[in-house]
């Protein structure tokens, strides 16, 4: 089991942030299924202001390449992703077109 952490910014607009949270209170079942099918066993998203932090626990079948291929072949995922771009903006330093960016772990307490 691996843990992946990522960051993303939302458009800094209280109405859009509220709408984004409303969508995530009832994520479409097809989206939830696609996440699980890609090998994600647990996912959490946190927000502070307009910054999001996502934590994913993934199994041995998960790769970003496999997830991208599965997403490209899934019309409902494409619809969801197009809708989410209304609310999302890249964090400083992200590559063009990149949404969620990997975070580097700098500390762990056992």
């Amino acid at each position: 089991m691996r843990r992946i952490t990522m960051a993303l910014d939302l458009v800094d607009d209280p109405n859009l942030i509220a709408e984004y949270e409303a969508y995530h209170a009832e994520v479409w079942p097809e989206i939830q299924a696609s996440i699980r099918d890609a090998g994600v066993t647990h996912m959490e998203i946190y927000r502070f202001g307009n910054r999001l932090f996502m934590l994913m626990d993934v199994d041995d079948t998960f790769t970003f390449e496999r997830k991208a291929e599965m997403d490209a072949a899934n019309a409902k995922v494409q619809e969801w992703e197009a809708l989410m771009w209304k609310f999302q903006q890249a964090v400083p330093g992200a590559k063009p077109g990149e949404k969620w960016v990997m975070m580097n772990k700098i500390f762990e307490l056992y």
Side-chain angles (χ1 to χ4, degrees):
M1 194 73 52
R2 290 181 296 141
R3 176 161 287 167
I4 298 169
T5 56
M6 304 185 88
L8 172 76
D9 283 349
L10 296 174
V11 174
D12 199 5
D13 176 302
N15 294 324
L16 289 176
I17 290 171
E19 190 177 348
Y20 184 84
E21 286 192 356
Y23 274 109
H24 282 78
E26 296 185 37
V27 173
W28 302 345
E30 300 90 345
I31 304 308
Q32 293 184 41
S34 75
I35 293 168
R36 286 188 187 100
D37 291 347
V40 178
T41 60
H42 181 82
M43 178 183 281
E44 299 176 15
I45 299 175
Y46 298 86
R47 180 179 69 81
F48 177 77
N50 71 319
R51 176 74 37 99
L52 298 179
F53 167 79
M54 178 169 55
L55 179 145
M56 295 190 305
D57 292 330
V58 300
D59 65 23
D60 292 337
T61 67
F62 180 87
T63 67
F64 286 104
E65 296 78 17
R66 180 172 167 263
K67 175 84 170 92
E69 289 173 10
M70 293 171 69
D71 290 352
N74 186 323
K76 204 65 173 175
V77 170
Q78 293 304 307
E79 181 183 351
W80 176 266
E81 290 299 325
L83 175 62
M84 291 302 107
W85 262 123
K86 169 183 175 183
F87 309 103
Q88 299 169 337
Q89 62 183 4
V91 296
K95 297 173 186 157
E98 188 174 47
K99 292 167 82 165
W100 290 95
V101 296
M102 296 285 293
M103 298 182 76
N104 296 317
K105 180 174 24 174
I106 63 166
F107 175 78
E108 184 171 353
L109 176 68
Y110 290 98

